[in-house]
Amino acid sequence: MSDQDYPFDGFNTRAVRAGQHRTNEQEQSEPLFLSSSFTFTSAAQAARRFAGDEEGNIYSRFSNPTVRTFQERLAAMEGGDACIATASGMSAILSTCMSLLKSGDHVVCARQVFGTTVSLFGKFLPRFGVETSFVPLTDYDAWERAITGRTRILFLETPSNPLTEVADIRRLAELAHAHDCLLVVDNCFCTPALQRPLEYGADLVIHSATKYLDGQGRCVGGAVIGPADLVDEEIFGFLRAAGPTMSAFNAWVFIKGLETLSLRMRAQSENAAALAHWLREQPGVDHVYYPGLNDHPQHELAASQQTAFGGIVSFEVTGGREGAWRVIDNVRLMSITANLGDTKTTITHPATTTHGRMTEQERAEAGIHENLIRISVGLEDVADLQRDLEPALAASRGR
Ligand SMILES: N[C@@H](CCOC(=O)CCC(=O)O)C(=O)O
């Protein structure tokens, strides 16, 4: 069908409609296909499907209609040609690396990324001959200096986890392309509702669907979005062979999550902004990290690159690790958990959890101090979040 015949292409329309292919049952909501394999009408048809001469389902490790709906919907939302769904956000990064890199290749990665991403690049990929140089996220000269003739991928998160530092995607895309590299952006904190890195020149977008795409803390999953030649050819080939696949059930949950993504991201951004401003005024709070604050070092860049500032607020308290733990131990409403993007507000001590397996030096270089607390702001009333934090902050100060 041509665009003229079907001109319904707004972002919110895609979020609720893209990828839906009704069956003969004429269902209103997307069906969940819990079937590990699919049948063929003949041996010849099976052979055609396996040879790739005929489109159609084969086996849910690499082809499932519910997973396909999620992939088509997320690709449409990110503005990419293709999407591959994976078992987790980490397996999305792993699948990208295993399919696009070979022994002898080199990656440049921001220092300010999720701790497990540091482990993958710094500890596991070197076993397969792929080395990574880590650079400060916003030091563009350092990115350039780190690129060698063997560099294939530049990898970053923006905003970064947990300090919400923001990098200029356009600038890094130009740098990557000038050196024949790919720019891979983990868009977990913003989601396509707030930022679409492919529009700024990124080659691939990574997601942990576990976070905002689900949005209600139910399922683990991931995705890679980008051009068909990379995603459908290279990365799909690895996924089919190695099998770090998203389950149909999880895909179905994520499909429903995508339908409310825009609303949640806006509401959570508003709540986070209100909490960040309030936190700045509280005794015992040393520093608040939130891109929506005027004094955030990349506030203007975030305003130009994102349509809202996101739901993550991090802050430092007086009293070191003990002070931070006391705040966390004294909240009653927020959930103490190592996850983010949930409608329920979560509170985390990054230095000992999400970034706990980085070395002390790696954490210091990334600016993650022992007194840092990360809050993923949910959809509760901000007044209740303040009511929860106020006595926790007081307890931390010994009052
Ligand atoms: N990226 C998420 C996920 C948190 O997950 C963990 O902290 C598990 C640690 C591990 O991978 O071993 C976040 O930052 O909350």
Side-chain angles (χ1 to χ4, degrees), residues 317-329:
V317 293
T318 50
R321 177 195 288 194
E322 211 185 309
W325 279 18
R326 246 187 274 147
V327 174
I328 293 171
D329 287 345

Side-chain angles (χ1 to χ4, degrees), residues 200-275:
Y200 303 134
D203 298 286
L204 291 168
V205 168
I206 299 282
H207 273 289
S208 168
T210 318
K211 312 297 181 320
Y212 290 104
L213 304 191
D214 172 3
Q216 288 162 72
R218 297 165 292 194
C219 289
V220 172
V224 189
I225 306 101
D229 61 334
L230 292 179
V231 174
D232 283 346
E233 304 295 327
E234 306 288 340
I235 304 173
F236 173 73
F238 174 78
L239 186 110
R240 180 171 179 164
T245 312
M246 178 180 286
S247 77
F249 178 80
N250 287 9
W252 180 79
V253 172
F254 296 136
I255 288 166
K256 304 319 281 179
L258 290 178
E259 296 184 1
T260 58
L261 180 67
S262 226
L263 292 173
R264 287 186 281 105
M265 291 309 294
R266 291 204 170 276
Q268 285 174 256
S269 296
E270 274 173 30
N271 282 1
L275 197 71

